[in-house]
Amino acid sequence: MRRSWPFSSTAAAIVCFSTIAVVAQAPKNDVRKAVRDRGAAPTAGEAQAFLDDAESRLLDLSVKASRAAWVQQNFITDDTEQISADANQQANALSVDLAKKAGRWDQVTLPPVMMRKMLLLKLAAGFPAPSDPAEQKELAQVAASLDGDYGKGKWCPDGANDKCLDVTAVGKLMATSRDEAELKRTWLGWHAVGAPMRQRYARLVELGDKGSRELGFANAGALWRSNYDMPPDAFAKEVDRLWDQLRPLYLSLHAYVRGQLAKKYGKDVVPAQGPIPAHLLGNIWAQEWNNVYPLMDSPKPPQSYDLTKILQDRNTDARGMVRYGEAFFTSLGFAPLPKTFWERSLFTKPADRDVVCHASAWDVDSKDDLRVKMCIQITQEDFVTIHHELGHNFYQRAYNTQPPLFQGSANDGFHEAVGDTIALSVTPEYLKKIGLIDAVPPASGDIDYLLQQALEKVAFLPFGLLIDKWRWEVFAGQIKPDHYNQAWWDLRLKYQGVAPPVARTEADFDPGAKYHVPGNVPYMRYFLARVLQFQFQRALCREAGYSGPLHRCSIYGNKVAGQRLNQMLALGESKPWQEALDTMTGEKQMDATAIADYFAPLKVWLDEQNKKNNYPIGW
């Protein structure tokens, strides 16, 4: 079964695993005999029995794996890492075994539902281990150790062990500091987390590639790209097509932000025509730039508001933040979250132990054991993030009536896009409706609002693209271990136009400072989600009868839009994503023009500002 858990937000450096754990059970005798008896011609009846047995076994241990992963991420110790590694080893072994056995029916004409299940079963391993038991164990242990190293990662300023900062504290410092020297020191301190991972990561790649080849894929990257209902090479071309649609808007934003940062830090620090130093963009990874918004000269509306201050002044606590998110979904006609959600979720960082703080949404039992794991801060960013995370949970519950192999999103970008679509509805209009602000800022403030959105949404686009561009080349052997870091920064320069604050060498492993690399979490889903969320939003706003500017639309309280959303969510992975997209939008191709529609007024304004201030385009 291809379960994807947990799902976590890009706004907080999101996490998502596609590993599955499975318990070693003896298959039904008739299925075992059918698979073993290679002399007999395979039949559709045997295929059905095989699939029923496979789904049962995978579901049983996927639940056990979810519980092991929950404990490992909430109580990071050597023991919990080993428990999680053992579960994933069992999972990977059975996944690979079933994927290989599914090939027995490649030449048999099966009903469409069964054919799709066979395809998904072949793709279920995610990052398959080789068939050698010793290598299976090694891969599980390497993966668990990399994940644990990141979760335990800290930067200790001046070597003072009593003042160490974890990723949350580092992120907060980089979001708020305007001291260039402090930002550089902090950036370097956190990025040192990756260096010890390099050798193990290279071994992870070797093992994953070997396991992928045993399943008939060229490498692990080709396997990952096969998850999109199109050939791997066609998918790579599709994301390039989408990026070509998006690049002009990004270039305009990049030029403006670089010019504004040069005003703050000086042209000796921020070159007029070069890449932007990565430590100055308000984020550990320079993936989203919303934290440097206060440095921008955009026209501030007369009735602007500070949502962080409003929430804090109201003494909103972590649970209160989640209640706001739940109320959004119930306003669309969805049932409230189960009681166990409130009993079993993690909302705040424990004081007595290390946890993986990245915001994530969990479906532990494929029924109703939904959870969130998040170290919630009372900020505008986390207010939006919790709306996003609950999007995952409500999606998970919507498809829980599907057969196990169909309990997933249409493609992994859909899961992220649903949460992000809800986040797009966290507009001033929505905040007024729920009583957090007294008045909606006038249209004169729209440019300012769109700039804030673009600093998060548009700035992220090339970053969302390049992480897997790097890994696809790593998996394919085009980037060798002795060039990992150089290739990483070459791609960041090419797509993002950012550069490290100091020269980097191959003694560094800067990809390891981003969770999704040591966590081995595919990242293209987040790029796709940035495209799909605007396509979803345009369709849902149209369904709700809204005809104004897209950026002012909130579907809060509209049950017609909620019904259309639920129709798509309930499909799970039972149909190709093109059909699910059609159910939601009436379109069968991903289309970035919705982003252009949303940000059209801002694009005009950015181009005017760049021309007026002589801010050059490109780097």
Side-chain angles (χ1 to χ4, degrees), residues 313-357:
D313 287 349
R314 291 182 175 221
N315 295 317
T316 308
D317 61 10
R319 284 178 174 264
M321 298 271 279
V322 184
R323 289 290 184 188
Y324 278 119
E326 180 191 41
F328 189 103
F329 285 91
T330 57
S331 83
L332 299 178
F334 291 88
L337 291 161
K339 180 182 177 183
T340 53
F341 171 88
W342 301 98
E343 296 169 344
R344 298 172 184 174
S345 291
L346 178 79
F347 300 132
T348 56
K349 187 180 189 308
D352 61 342
R353 65 182 189 271
D354 291 322
V355 301
V356 176
C357 264

Side-chain angles (χ1 to χ4, degrees), residues 414 417 421 531-543 564-565 567-568 571 577-591 594:
F414 274 63
T421 300
V531 175
L532 287 166
Q533 66 186 265
F534 290 95
Q535 205 168 348
F536 290 172
Q537 178 76 346
R538 184 168 64 182
L540 290 174
C541 290
R542 183 171 59 235
E543 189 72 14
R564 174 58 69 93
L565 174 63
Q567 287 172 350
M568 190 275 286
L571 289 174
W577 65 261
Q578 294 89 340
E579 293 186 37
L581 180 64
D582 187 41
T583 298
M584 169 81 88
T585 68
E587 302 158 345
K588 291 189 175 181
Q589 185 180 45
M590 290 182 284
D591 182 11

Side-chain angles (χ1 to χ4, degrees), residues 414-476:
F414 274 63
H415 233 305
E416 297 306 322
V418 167
D420 283 343
T421 300
I422 300 306
L424 285 176
S425 278
V426 182
T427 63
E429 286 79 2
Y430 163 61
L431 298 177
K432 183 177 184 300
K433 285 182 180 179
I434 63 175
L436 284 177
I437 61 175
D438 296 326
V440 175
S444 59
D446 281 8
I447 292 299
D448 185 65
Y449 176 76
L450 285 171
L451 179 62
Q452 292 182 63
Q453 287 284 75
L455 289 170
E456 177 190 345
K457 303 287 188 179
V458 177
F460 176 82
L461 290 165
F463 186 82
L465 185 69
L466 70 87
I467 287 187
D468 277 356
K469 286 273 191 180
W470 179 81
R471 282 193 288 199
W472 293 347
E473 293 186 32
V474 167
F475 294 145

Side-chain angles (χ1 to χ4, degrees), residues 107 112 159 166 173 178 239 251 276 333 339 374 398 431 538 586:
Q107 306 305 316
D166 63 10
L173 192 158
R178 299 294 181 254
V239 297
L251 288 174
I276 301 173
K339 180 182 177 183
M374 181 176 173
L431 298 177
R538 184 168 64 182

